[in-house]
Structures are given as structure tokens and as C-alpha cells.
PDB file of all heavy atoms in Angstrom:
ATOM      1  N   MET A   1      18.417 -22.520  10.145  1.00 87.00           N
ATOM      2  CA  MET A   1      17.296 -22.852  10.852  1.00 87.00           C
ATOM      3  C   MET A   1      15.950 -22.094  10.529  1.00 87.00           C
ATOM      4  O   MET A   1      16.007 -20.818  10.587  1.00 87.00           O
ATOM      5  CB  MET A   1      17.530 -22.817  12.391  1.00 87.00           C
ATOM      6  CG  MET A   1      16.371 -23.192  13.364  1.00 87.00           C
ATOM      7  SD  MET A   1      15.924 -24.966  13.197  1.00 87.00           S
ATOM      8  CE  MET A   1      17.344 -25.561  14.287  1.00 87.00           C
ATOM      9  N   ASN A   2      14.952 -22.819   9.977  1.00 84.00           N
ATOM     10  CA  ASN A   2      13.704 -22.112   9.678  1.00 84.00           C
ATOM     11  C   ASN A   2      12.938 -21.667  10.920  1.00 84.00           C
ATOM     12  O   ASN A   2      12.730 -22.592  11.830  1.00 84.00           O
ATOM     13  CB  ASN A   2      12.921 -23.061   8.767  1.00 84.00           C
ATOM     14  CG  ASN A   2      11.614 -22.364   8.374  1.00 84.00           C
ATOM     15  OD1 ASN A   2      10.623 -22.112   8.941  1.00 84.00           O
ATOM     16  ND2 ASN A   2      11.677 -22.035   7.017  1.00 84.00           N
ATOM     17  N   PRO A   3      12.570 -20.529  11.130  1.00 83.00           N
ATOM     18  CA  PRO A   3      12.000 -20.079  12.324  1.00 83.00           C
ATOM     19  C   PRO A   3      10.518 -20.586  12.627  1.00 83.00           C
ATOM     20  O   PRO A   3      10.102 -20.575  13.751  1.00 83.00           O
ATOM     21  CB  PRO A   3      11.923 -18.475  12.096  1.00 83.00           C
ATOM     22  CG  PRO A   3      11.832 -18.249  10.718  1.00 83.00           C
ATOM     23  CD  PRO A   3      12.690 -19.351  10.066  1.00 83.00           C
ATOM     24  N   PHE A   4       9.936 -21.033  11.508  1.00 84.00           N
ATOM     25  CA  PHE A   4       8.523 -21.630  11.702  1.00 84.00           C
ATOM     26  C   PHE A   4       8.541 -23.184  11.885  1.00 84.00           C
ATOM     27  O   PHE A   4       7.893 -23.675  12.760  1.00 84.00           O
ATOM     28  CB  PHE A   4       7.677 -21.244  10.375  1.00 84.00           C
ATOM     29  CG  PHE A   4       7.558 -19.761  10.361  1.00 84.00           C
ATOM     30  CD1 PHE A   4       8.311 -18.977   9.346  1.00 84.00           C
ATOM     31  CD2 PHE A   4       6.542 -19.136  11.015  1.00 84.00           C
ATOM     32  CE1 PHE A   4       8.150 -17.760   9.224  1.00 84.00           C
ATOM     33  CE2 PHE A   4       6.400 -17.756  10.921  1.00 84.00           C
ATOM     34  CZ  PHE A   4       7.194 -17.023   9.958  1.00 84.00           C
ATOM     35  N   TYR A   5       9.295 -23.884  10.995  1.00 81.00           N
ATOM     36  CA  TYR A   5       9.331 -25.337  11.108  1.00 81.00           C
ATOM     37  C   TYR A   5      10.421 -25.870  12.009  1.00 81.00           C
ATOM     38  O   TYR A   5      10.395 -27.155  12.257  1.00 81.00           O
ATOM     39  CB  TYR A   5       9.407 -25.846   9.682  1.00 81.00           C
ATOM     40  CG  TYR A   5       8.377 -25.340   8.742  1.00 81.00           C
ATOM     41  CD1 TYR A   5       8.737 -24.612   7.637  1.00 81.00           C
ATOM     42  CD2 TYR A   5       7.048 -25.470   8.878  1.00 81.00           C
ATOM     43  CE1 TYR A   5       7.867 -24.010   6.755  1.00 81.00           C
ATOM     44  CE2 TYR A   5       6.098 -24.996   8.016  1.00 81.00           C
ATOM     45  CZ  TYR A   5       6.536 -24.204   6.993  1.00 81.00           C
ATOM     46  OH  TYR A   5       5.613 -23.675   6.075  1.00 81.00           O
ATOM     47  N   LYS A   6      11.294 -25.069  12.454  1.00 83.00           N
ATOM     48  CA  LYS A   6      12.446 -25.479  13.361  1.00 83.00           C
ATOM     49  C   LYS A   6      13.181 -26.664  12.780  1.00 83.00           C
ATOM     50  O   LYS A   6      13.615 -27.516  13.485  1.00 83.00           O
ATOM     51  CB  LYS A   6      11.796 -25.900  14.721  1.00 83.00           C
ATOM     52  CG  LYS A   6      11.034 -24.734  15.386  1.00 83.00           C
ATOM     53  CD  LYS A   6      11.891 -23.493  15.585  1.00 83.00           C
ATOM     54  CE  LYS A   6      11.097 -22.428  16.225  1.00 83.00           C
ATOM     55  NZ  LYS A   6      11.836 -21.149  16.324  1.00 83.00           N
ATOM     56  N   ILE A   7      13.532 -26.542  11.515  1.00 87.00           N
ATOM     57  CA  ILE A   7      14.275 -27.448  10.805  1.00 87.00           C
ATOM     58  C   ILE A   7      15.362 -26.842   9.935  1.00 87.00           C
ATOM     59  O   ILE A   7      15.186 -25.549   9.577  1.00 87.00           O
ATOM     60  CB  ILE A   7      13.561 -28.504   9.794  1.00 87.00           C
ATOM     61  CG1 ILE A   7      12.821 -27.664   8.797  1.00 87.00           C
ATOM     62  CG2 ILE A   7      12.460 -29.350  10.615  1.00 87.00           C
ATOM     63  CD1 ILE A   7      11.995 -28.488   7.758  1.00 87.00           C
ATOM     64  N   ILE A   8      16.396 -27.469   9.665  1.00 89.00           N
ATOM     65  CA  ILE A   8      17.503 -26.937   8.907  1.00 89.00           C
ATOM     66  C   ILE A   8      17.036 -26.972   7.479  1.00 89.00           C
ATOM     67  O   ILE A   8      16.704 -28.040   6.852  1.00 89.00           O
ATOM     68  CB  ILE A   8      18.785 -27.589   8.970  1.00 89.00           C
ATOM     69  CG1 ILE A   8      19.249 -27.636  10.436  1.00 89.00           C
ATOM     70  CG2 ILE A   8      19.877 -27.037   8.135  1.00 89.00           C
ATOM     71  CD1 ILE A   8      19.565 -26.174  10.865  1.00 89.00           C
ATOM     72  N   SER A   9      17.043 -25.751   6.705  1.00 89.00           N
ATOM     73  CA  SER A   9      16.605 -25.804   5.291  1.00 89.00           C
ATOM     74  C   SER A   9      17.413 -24.781   4.516  1.00 89.00           C
ATOM     75  O   SER A   9      18.252 -24.001   5.057  1.00 89.00           O
ATOM     76  CB  SER A   9      15.126 -25.397   5.154  1.00 89.00           C
ATOM     77  OG  SER A   9      14.931 -24.102   5.752  1.00 89.00           O
ATOM     78  N   ASP A  10      17.366 -24.869   3.284  1.00 91.00           N
ATOM     79  CA  ASP A  10      18.110 -23.904   2.349  1.00 91.00           C
ATOM     80  C   ASP A  10      17.615 -22.493   2.383  1.00 91.00           C
ATOM     81  O   ASP A  10      16.464 -22.301   2.161  1.00 91.00           O
ATOM     82  CB  ASP A  10      18.189 -24.431   0.942  1.00 91.00           C
ATOM     83  CG  ASP A  10      18.912 -25.804   0.737  1.00 91.00           C
ATOM     84  OD1 ASP A  10      19.928 -26.000   1.460  1.00 91.00           O
ATOM     85  OD2 ASP A  10      18.501 -26.549  -0.124  1.00 91.00           O
ATOM     86  N   HIS A  11      18.562 -21.582   2.816  1.00 92.00           N
ATOM     87  CA  HIS A  11      18.184 -20.205   2.726  1.00 92.00           C
ATOM     88  C   HIS A  11      18.870 -19.487   1.509  1.00 92.00           C
ATOM     89  O   HIS A  11      20.097 -19.674   1.330  1.00 92.00           O
ATOM     90  CB  HIS A  11      18.653 -19.472   4.112  1.00 92.00           C
ATOM     91  CG  HIS A  11      18.108 -18.148   4.261  1.00 92.00           C
ATOM     92  ND1 HIS A  11      18.962 -17.087   4.308  1.00 92.00           N
ATOM     93  CD2 HIS A  11      16.956 -17.708   4.411  1.00 92.00           C
ATOM     94  CE1 HIS A  11      18.210 -16.034   4.593  1.00 92.00           C
ATOM     95  NE2 HIS A  11      17.020 -16.287   4.554  1.00 92.00           N
ATOM     96  N   THR A  12      18.016 -18.982   0.633  1.00 93.00           N
ATOM     97  CA  THR A  12      18.665 -18.594  -0.649  1.00 93.00           C
ATOM     98  C   THR A  12      18.918 -16.996  -0.778  1.00 93.00           C
ATOM     99  O   THR A  12      19.177 -16.575  -1.857  1.00 93.00           O
ATOM    100  CB  THR A  12      17.590 -18.903  -1.730  1.00 93.00           C
ATOM    101  OG1 THR A  12      16.349 -18.371  -1.383  1.00 93.00           O
ATOM    102  CG2 THR A  12      17.431 -20.390  -1.912  1.00 93.00           C
ATOM    103  N   GLY A  13      18.854 -16.277   0.345  1.00 94.00           N
ATOM    104  CA  GLY A  13      19.222 -14.903   0.273  1.00 94.00           C
ATOM    105  C   GLY A  13      19.911 -14.433   1.507  1.00 94.00           C
ATOM    106  O   GLY A  13      20.373 -15.198   2.314  1.00 94.00           O
ATOM    107  N   LEU A  14      19.944 -13.104   1.604  1.00 95.00           N
ATOM    108  CA  LEU A  14      20.496 -12.395   2.849  1.00 95.00           C
ATOM    109  C   LEU A  14      19.393 -11.621   3.512  1.00 95.00           C
ATOM    110  O   LEU A  14      18.587 -10.890   3.027  1.00 95.00           O
ATOM    111  CB  LEU A  14      21.500 -11.414   2.368  1.00 95.00           C
ATOM    112  CG  LEU A  14      22.128 -10.580   3.462  1.00 95.00           C
ATOM    113  CD1 LEU A  14      22.951 -11.313   4.427  1.00 95.00           C
ATOM    114  CD2 LEU A  14      22.943  -9.289   2.806  1.00 95.00           C
ATOM    115  N   ASP A  15      19.207 -11.944   4.755  1.00 95.00           N
ATOM    116  CA  ASP A  15      18.313 -11.321   5.694  1.00 95.00           C
ATOM    117  C   ASP A  15      18.870  -9.967   6.125  1.00 95.00           C
ATOM    118  O   ASP A  15      19.982  -9.976   6.728  1.00 95.00           O
ATOM    119  CB  ASP A  15      17.883 -12.099   6.834  1.00 95.00           C
ATOM    120  CG  ASP A  15      16.996 -13.283   6.542  1.00 95.00           C
ATOM    121  OD1 ASP A  15      16.447 -13.224   5.463  1.00 95.00           O
ATOM    122  OD2 ASP A  15      16.893 -14.151   7.339  1.00 95.00           O
ATOM    123  N   ILE A  16      18.316  -8.869   5.855  1.00 95.00           N
ATOM    124  CA  ILE A  16      18.754  -7.484   6.286  1.00 95.00           C
ATOM    125  C   ILE A  16      17.732  -6.912   7.283  1.00 95.00           C
ATOM    126  O   ILE A  16      16.606  -6.732   6.870  1.00 95.00           O
ATOM    127  CB  ILE A  16      18.876  -6.527   5.080  1.00 95.00           C
ATOM    128  CG1 ILE A  16      19.998  -7.116   4.059  1.00 95.00           C
ATOM    129  CG2 ILE A  16      19.281  -5.196   5.478  1.00 95.00           C
ATOM    130  CD1 ILE A  16      20.082  -6.205   2.806  1.00 95.00           C
ATOM    131  N   VAL A  17      18.169  -6.862   8.496  1.00 92.00           N
ATOM    132  CA  VAL A  17      17.282  -6.399   9.544  1.00 92.00           C
ATOM    133  C   VAL A  17      16.868  -4.927   9.315  1.00 92.00           C
ATOM    134  O   VAL A  17      17.827  -4.093   9.137  1.00 92.00           O
ATOM    135  CB  VAL A  17      18.063  -6.546  10.963  1.00 92.00           C
ATOM    136  CG1 VAL A  17      17.140  -6.059  12.062  1.00 92.00           C
ATOM    137  CG2 VAL A  17      18.465  -7.989  11.180  1.00 92.00           C
ATOM    138  N   ALA A  18      15.648  -4.667   9.381  1.00 92.00           N
ATOM    139  CA  ALA A  18      15.162  -3.299   9.055  1.00 92.00           C
ATOM    140  C   ALA A  18      13.837  -3.092   9.738  1.00 92.00           C
ATOM    141  O   ALA A  18      13.230  -3.944  10.192  1.00 92.00           O
ATOM    142  CB  ALA A  18      15.083  -3.055   7.594  1.00 92.00           C
ATOM    143  N   TYR A  19      13.480  -1.920   9.813  1.00 92.00           N
ATOM    144  CA  TYR A  19      12.191  -1.557  10.468  1.00 92.00           C
ATOM    145  C   TYR A  19      11.104  -1.502   9.326  1.00 92.00           C
ATOM    146  O   TYR A  19      11.346  -1.218   8.202  1.00 92.00           O
ATOM    147  CB  TYR A  19      12.172  -0.098  11.046  1.00 92.00           C
ATOM    148  CG  TYR A  19      13.033  -0.045  12.379  1.00 92.00           C
ATOM    149  CD1 TYR A  19      14.248   0.576  12.273  1.00 92.00           C
ATOM    150  CD2 TYR A  19      12.715  -0.649  13.523  1.00 92.00           C
ATOM    151  CE1 TYR A  19      15.125   0.597  13.391  1.00 92.00           C
ATOM    152  CE2 TYR A  19      13.429  -0.679  14.718  1.00 92.00           C
ATOM    153  CZ  TYR A  19      14.686  -0.018  14.527  1.00 92.00           C
ATOM    154  OH  TYR A  19      15.498   0.058  15.688  1.00 92.00           O
ATOM    155  N   ALA A  20       9.890  -1.886   9.769  1.00 92.00           N
ATOM    156  CA  ALA A  20       8.756  -1.690   8.761  1.00 92.00           C
ATOM    157  C   ALA A  20       8.676  -0.292   8.267  1.00 92.00           C
ATOM    158  O   ALA A  20       8.657   0.601   9.107  1.00 92.00           O
ATOM    159  CB  ALA A  20       7.442  -2.304   9.287  1.00 92.00           C
ATOM    160  N   GLY A  21       8.622  -0.149   6.998  1.00 93.00           N
ATOM    161  CA  GLY A  21       8.548   1.323   6.484  1.00 93.00           C
ATOM    162  C   GLY A  21       9.749   1.757   5.963  1.00 93.00           C
ATOM    163  O   GLY A  21       9.859   2.930   5.279  1.00 93.00           O
ATOM    164  N   ASP A  22      10.951   1.115   6.203  1.00 95.00           N
ATOM    165  CA  ASP A  22      12.246   1.578   5.678  1.00 95.00           C
ATOM    166  C   ASP A  22      12.230   1.482   4.149  1.00 95.00           C
ATOM    167  O   ASP A  22      11.607   0.617   3.654  1.00 95.00           O
ATOM    168  CB  ASP A  22      13.306   0.646   6.188  1.00 95.00           C
ATOM    169  CG  ASP A  22      13.758   1.056   7.666  1.00 95.00           C
ATOM    170  OD1 ASP A  22      13.223   2.105   8.175  1.00 95.00           O
ATOM    171  OD2 ASP A  22      14.580   0.392   8.265  1.00 95.00           O
ATOM    172  N   LYS A  23      12.987   2.371   3.471  1.00 96.00           N
ATOM    173  CA  LYS A  23      13.024   2.318   2.024  1.00 96.00           C
ATOM    174  C   LYS A  23      13.761   1.267   1.539  1.00 96.00           C
ATOM    175  O   LYS A  23      14.833   0.883   2.037  1.00 96.00           O
ATOM    176  CB  LYS A  23      13.496   3.633   1.514  1.00 96.00           C
ATOM    177  CG  LYS A  23      12.670   4.924   1.883  1.00 96.00           C
ATOM    178  CD  LYS A  23      13.318   6.150   1.312  1.00 96.00           C
ATOM    179  CE  LYS A  23      12.524   7.383   1.627  1.00 96.00           C
ATOM    180  NZ  LYS A  23      13.244   8.712   1.149  1.00 96.00           N
ATOM    181  N   VAL A  24      13.285   0.603   0.438  1.00 97.00           N
ATOM    182  CA  VAL A  24      14.059  -0.456  -0.264  1.00 97.00           C
ATOM    183  C   VAL A  24      14.526   0.184  -1.606  1.00 97.00           C
ATOM    184  O   VAL A  24      13.793   0.761  -2.402  1.00 97.00           O
ATOM    185  CB  VAL A  24      13.167  -1.748  -0.512  1.00 97.00           C
ATOM    186  CG1 VAL A  24      13.863  -2.680  -1.343  1.00 97.00           C
ATOM    187  CG2 VAL A  24      12.673  -2.210   0.800  1.00 97.00           C
ATOM    188  N   LEU A  25      15.785   0.023  -1.841  1.00 96.00           N
ATOM    189  CA  LEU A  25      16.482   0.731  -2.976  1.00 96.00           C
ATOM    190  C   LEU A  25      17.037  -0.350  -4.048  1.00 96.00           C
ATOM    191  O   LEU A  25      17.423  -1.486  -3.720  1.00 96.00           O
ATOM    192  CB  LEU A  25      17.563   1.537  -2.568  1.00 96.00           C
ATOM    193  CG  LEU A  25      17.354   2.534  -1.372  1.00 96.00           C
ATOM    194  CD1 LEU A  25      18.589   3.222  -0.908  1.00 96.00           C
ATOM    195  CD2 LEU A  25      16.282   3.500  -1.682  1.00 96.00           C
TER     196      LEU A  25
END
């Protein structure tokens, strides 16, 4: 479910919950 358009769409990755400012490796 797309959080903006509220429709089912293809999601092509993995959402990793993190705080703004966390290091990306």
C-alpha cells in the first residue's frame, strides 16, 4: 500500500526503519 496514493503498487526494495541522521553503510 502506497502511503501517499493509498493504492496497491509495486515496492522494489526493503524499508529499514531508522532515525534521521543514522549512518548508512
